Amino acid sequence: MTSTQAAADEQEETPAPRWTPKARGQIKLVAVLVAVTVVVFAAAEAVGLSSLTIFTDALRTATGPSAAVYALLAIGLNMHFGYTGLLNFGQVGFMLVGAYGVAIGVSTFGLGLWVGILISIGLAVVLALLLGAPTLRLRADYLAITTIAAAEILRFIFRSSDARPVTNGVFGLRGFADEFYRLNPIPPGDYDILLLTLSSRRLWVIVVGWSLVTLISLFMWALMRSPWGRVIKSIREDEDAARSLGKNVFSYKMQSLVIGGVVGAIGGVVFSLTLQTVQPDTFQPQLTFFAYTVLILGGAARILGPIVGSVIFWFIVAGFDSFLRRAAAAELLPPEYFGSGSIGATRFALVGLGLMLLMVYRPQGLLGDRREMQLDAK
């Protein structure tokens, strides 16, 4: 028997590994998330709280409008960071112009809902052009600094007294979503779906929000499998190589910035219609990092990553929040440390801790590829 035949026979006898490294990593992350959930529910039962109630609270938020809004924000970031390698730390700025575009159009100028939505999209395009024109030819640091600064500048402009005739300053705008709710085809009343009881208005918002998430995800899926998408990915991997092949890297980056910004603005539109009010101080910088947590949790550069990440993110955060609030109401936690404001801060700390652990131990998230997360953003 020759050595080649022996090697071939040995290879045939060696069983194939049951799990790939990627599958093992996914199983580990799921196991950790399930363990955290089980610990919270077990702790709730141990101290006399209803784990079913906490589960219902978590499920309501994980499938509600908030999860849809953050899925849209993360889809926009996925275009920027996941596919193109652009460091956008100011996605909340696109969300702000989206929310205020429809609010100002309807409340301040008395325009229709659809005109207000077009204004939101137009403002997002203008903002992307203003941010990208001076920075996309430079290193990634400049775009990151510019976007986070621009989001804060916009927030201060919209809350300033000079802008009060248009934005109503720090008090914000309200009463602009009536036309949206008049389009609701669901008869008034309450509907029992699984463990949840949803009003027709909330159900309408959920249907619209998740329908937009589905449609935009399908658009992204088609876009990233087109020649345009392959160029975008090549720029993420090595923009010098893409440039040497005659591609206009600046133009492609700008197109990516505009598309992701418009998706973020649509998230802002859904956000404003859900709350039926907008206030400038709602759009704090941490919303961008929540969207990054959603994206990294689900997996960057994956179509389903933002959706999966948003559902898991809000299930854990809302479940933990419900547990703390009910434990505090039952006087099981010291009130000096766990008042209503402290619980909110604890939730934010949990998000930050979770993001750090993800970046250290599994930066590719649940569905992503570690090699794609080891890119050198330029």
Side-chain angles (χ1 to χ4, degrees):
M1 179 181 295
T2 65
S3 59
T4 304
Q5 289 174 328
D9 293 340
E10 184 179 353
Q11 187 174 7
E12 288 177 357
E13 293 174 357
T14 303
R18 188 171 183 179
W19 303 105
T20 65
K22 181 179 179 180
R24 286 198 294 271
Q26 290 173 332
I27 292 172
K28 287 180 183 176
L29 181 56
V30 171
V32 170
L33 296 175
V34 171
V36 170
T37 305
V38 169
V39 166
V40 172
F41 290 154
E45 288 292 340
V47 297
L49 302 178
S50 172
S51 59
L52 179 60
T53 304
I54 295 173
F55 178 82
T56 305
D57 291 343
L59 183 64
R60 179 180 291 106
T61 306
T63 58
S66 296
V69 168
Y70 277 83
L72 290 169
L73 294 180
I75 290 171
L77 279 181
N78 204 20
M79 170 57 69
H80 292 162
F81 176 70
Y83 292 121
T84 319
L86 299 176
L87 285 178
N88 170 18
F89 285 164
Q91 184 73 341
V92 69
F94 291 103
M95 183 184 182
L96 185 151
V97 297
Y100 265 98
V102 68
I104 291 173
V106 176
S107 293
T108 305
F109 297 111
L111 303 174
L113 174 68
W114 297 109
V115 178
I117 294 174
L118 290 177
I119 291 174
S120 298
I121 294 174
L123 290 175
V125 173
V126 171
L127 178 60
L129 294 175
L130 290 175
L131 293 175
T135 58
L136 288 180
R137 296 183 191 279
L138 307 174
R139 295 186 312 175
D141 318 45
Y142 295 93
L143 178 64
I145 295 169
T146 303
T147 49
I148 195 171
E152 275 297 90
I153 290 170
L154 281 173
R155 185 170 69 85
F156 281 113
I157 290 176
F158 276 68
R159 77 190 305 279
S160 68
S161 56
D162 292 335
R164 190 166 181 175
V166 178
T167 66
N168 203 24
V170 295
F171 302 104
L173 298 169
R174 62 186 64 190
F176 51 84
D178 294 343
E179 185 177 350
F180 171 72
Y181 286 101
R182 281 198 296 271
L183 296 173
N184 183 3
I186 304 172
D190 294 333
Y191 296 85
D192 293 327
I193 300 176
L194 298 178
L195 299 174
L196 308 178
T197 299
L198 304 173
S199 68
S200 63
R201 289 170 67 91
R202 183 175 176 85
L203 190 56
W204 171 236
V205 176
I206 290 174
V207 169
V208 171
W210 285 108
S211 297
L212 285 172
V213 170
T214 303
L215 291 174
I216 293 174
S217 296
L218 289 173
F219 171 73
M220 290 292 180
W221 177 82
L223 195 61
M224 298 317 298
R225 278 157 181 75
S226 69
W228 186 89
R230 288 191 284 273
V231 174
I232 285 293
K233 289 181 180 177
S234 71
I235 291 173
R236 178 195 64 186
E237 298 298 332
D238 190 341
E239 67 177 66
D240 292 330
R243 191 177 289 110
S244 68
L245 294 174
K247 303 300 180 184
N248 188 334
V249 172
F250 173 78
S251 174
Y252 277 97
K253 282 185 173 180
M254 182 65 81
Q255 294 168 40
S256 171
L257 190 63
V258 169
I259 293 172
V262 168
V263 176
I266 293 174
V269 171
V270 177
F271 178 80
S272 65
L273 294 176
T274 301
L275 297 180
Q276 305 180 61
T277 180
V278 289
Q279 289 180 310
D281 290 338
T282 305
F283 303 95
Q284 299 282 345
Q286 59 261 32
L287 268 64
T288 297
F289 296 98
F290 289 174
Y292 264 108
T293 305
V294 166
L295 177 62
I296 294 171
L297 178 60
R302 292 291 181 271
I303 296 298
L304 293 178
I307 301 174
V308 174
S310 186
V311 171
I312 295 175
F313 173 83
W314 280 109
F315 186 87
I316 293 176
V317 170
F320 192 71
D321 183 85
S322 177
F323 169 75
L324 290 179
R325 291 187 187 282
R326 293 180 187 282
E331 299 182 348
L332 297 172
L333 298 174
E336 61 271 23
Y337 297 116
F338 289 95
S340 58
S342 302
I343 290 176
T346 304
R347 186 176 66 170
F348 293 152
L350 173 70
V351 173
L353 178 63
L355 180 58
M356 287 191 292
L357 293 175
L358 275 174
M359 293 305 296
V360 171
Y361 294 106
R362 192 167 172 82
Q364 70 272 37
L366 185 60
L367 303 176
D369 188 327
R370 193 180 187 92
R371 291 170 298 181
E372 292 187 79
M373 287 300 298
Q374 290 176 337
L375 57 93
D376 181 17
K378 296 176 181 176

